[in-house]
Amino acid sequence: MREPDQTVENCLRDVAAPGYARLILVPVLAVVLVVVLLYPFPMEGRSWNAIFNLAHAPTFLMAFLFVVGILDPQVIGVRGSGDPIIAMSGRRIVLLAIALCLFGGLCEFGQTLVGRSASIRDGVANSTGVLAGMIWCVSRRTASGLKRLFLTAAAPAFILPMSIFPIRELLETQRQRTEFPLLASFERSAELLAWEPHEAEMTMAQEWASHGQSCLKLTGKRGTRFPGASFIWPVGDWRGYSNLQIDIHNPGDAVLQVRLNISDRFHATTSFEPTDRFRTVIDVPASSTQTVMIDLSEVASTPVNREMDLSQIALVDVHMTEADEVKTVMLDNIRLLK
């Protein structure tokens, strides 16, 4: 029977062995993921937002394979790497996957505490990456050539559906920049990705258009306050232009009052103080179209305590006034003019 001191010494020697030294990489990975998921990086804008969204599934795929590879390299297909630190059975792989999915979910929740926005889509993307990692591990244990080949291809293919949306947004962002100073023409459904409805149904419609074949149609919900939509991803540098023009159509049989707000990215630092943004009210006669022209020098001078930064325009709000009945407004051909 071994002496207690000898047993402890042997255990310490095992933990200090080169294989066990790899375990330090697991908490290092956890710290890296926390920083990436929670740190408010200064890289802002629609393109960076799409890139971060695109990275979620591949990041968690690689994180899962990284941890499994540390614990049991042969499970991910690394041969001749010595004995595993922990033999990763199917049950342990599932438990690790659950733990990593929960970790991703907690980090998404943590984003609400550091000024970033949590997203269910990002949580699903994280979990999709983990599931793709599980498929990869299964493929390494499959001996059959054709079946192994299928599972090997299925692992990266599994994350493709979660990549479609951010790739689509990246392409739309590039097209939006190419069309500038035309801000919105609503000829592509992808243009709606730059808008966010508020108490209104937001659709593209072809029953009226001042430019091209379609327009943005906003139908307010009955009894709601200021239904409409926000242009949350405009091309933000409006310097060098003198006017903003918007074609507004009122399909109803009564005068429609539309409120238009414009603010820059620094508006948030004033706790969204109403006097720190541009605001105007437009009366659109029944069954008519009105082209609204807004002087950008007036927009810049509107904030009470500063000048609005026309190189950092962040938001254009278009809202209808409150009413007991459903109201509809249509927008088209939003552009900047010299």
Side-chain angles (χ1 to χ4, degrees):
M1 182 174 180
R2 290 185 178 181
E3 294 294 329
D5 289 345
Q6 185 180 3
T7 302
V8 172
E9 182 181 344
N10 290 338
C11 290
L12 291 175
R13 187 183 300 113
D14 289 341
V15 171
Y20 281 89
R22 299 196 308 264
L23 283 175
I24 192 64
L25 296 176
V26 176
V28 169
L29 173 65
V31 171
V32 170
L33 287 177
V34 168
V35 171
V36 170
L37 293 172
L38 295 184
Y39 184 77
F41 290 97
M43 295 173 288
E44 298 179 349
R46 191 179 182 186
S47 295
W48 280 113
N49 182 72
I51 290 171
F52 281 130
N53 288 337
L54 181 62
H56 276 274
T59 297
F60 272 75
L61 165 61
M62 298 308 297
F64 179 81
L65 294 180
F66 185 78
V67 174
V68 174
I70 288 173
L71 300 176
D72 193 349
Q74 294 191 17
V75 172
I76 65 170
V78 180
R79 304 299 179 186
S81 54
D83 296 332
I85 297 173
I86 299 176
M88 295 300 292
S89 63
R91 180 173 176 272
R92 286 173 176 167
I93 287 175
V94 171
L95 290 175
L96 175 62
I98 293 173
L100 194 53
C101 288
L102 291 175
F103 176 81
L106 287 174
C107 288
E108 285 298 318
F109 174 77
Q111 289 182 1
T112 62
L113 306 177
V114 295
R116 292 178 61 177
S117 56
S119 169
I120 294 177
R121 183 186 295 115
D122 290 344
V124 173
N126 297 342
S127 300
T128 300
V130 173
L131 291 174
M134 294 178 66
I135 294 174
W136 178 268
C137 292
V138 172
S139 73
R140 299 303 91 189
R141 293 183 174 185
T142 302
S144 173
L146 187 59
K147 186 177 180 180
R148 182 187 178 100
L149 181 62
F150 173 79
L151 289 172
T152 300
F158 194 71
I159 66 175
L160 285 180
M162 298 307 303
S163 303
I164 292 175
F165 181 86
I167 290 174
R168 182 189 184 199
E169 188 154 21
L170 274 173
L171 293 174
E172 178 58 28
T173 300
Q174 181 58 41
R175 186 159 184 175
Q176 186 183 30
R177 289 173 177 169
T178 301
E179 292 181 345
F180 187 78
L182 177 65
L183 296 176
S185 62
F186 307 108
E187 297 302 304
R188 306 176 303 278
S189 60
E191 287 190 68
L192 298 187
L193 299 174
W195 290 76
E196 185 174 279
H198 301 284
E199 301 295 343
E201 180 184 359
M202 182 176 71
T203 57
M204 289 179 58
Q206 295 185 336
E207 55 212 72
W208 170 83
S210 66
H211 177 268
Q213 303 297 319
S214 57
C215 69
L216 176 66
K217 181 178 181 180
L218 299 170
T219 303
K221 298 177 182 179
R222 186 185 302 274
T224 54
R225 195 162 181 248
F226 305 130
S230 296
F231 193 9
I232 59 174
W233 293 120
V235 175
D237 192 350
W238 293 9
R239 292 173 299 179
Y241 297 90
S242 61
N243 292 281
L244 168 69
Q245 285 194 0
I246 305 177
D247 295 335
I248 304 177
H249 180 68
N250 174 14
D253 54 7
V255 175
L256 180 66
Q257 192 174 76
V258 178
R259 296 190 178 193
L260 179 68
N261 301 324
I262 301 174
S263 55
D264 61 10
R265 65 186 298 265
F266 303 106
H267 181 53
T269 64
T270 68
S271 299
F272 303 101
E273 170 61 40
T275 60
D276 189 66
R277 67 186 179 190
F278 173 83
R279 175 182 173 185
T280 188
V281 179
I282 305 141
D283 291 324
V284 185
S287 303
S288 68
T289 299
Q290 185 166 327
T291 297
V292 179
M293 180 176 289
I294 297 171
D295 188 336
L296 293 183
S297 63
E298 183 180 350
V299 172
S301 62
T302 296
V304 174
N305 298 316
R306 65 183 181 93
E307 183 172 299
M308 189 179 298
D309 190 346
L310 293 181
S311 71
Q312 298 287 338
I313 298 299
L315 201 67
V316 179
D317 290 315
V318 181
H319 290 190
M320 296 171 280
T321 54
E322 184 177 6
D324 293 333
E325 60 184 32
V326 174
K327 288 186 175 181
T328 297
V329 65
M330 298 179 180
L331 310 174
D332 201 9
N333 200 19
I334 304 175
R335 69 268 189 201
L336 298 175
L337 300 178
K338 292 285 189 179

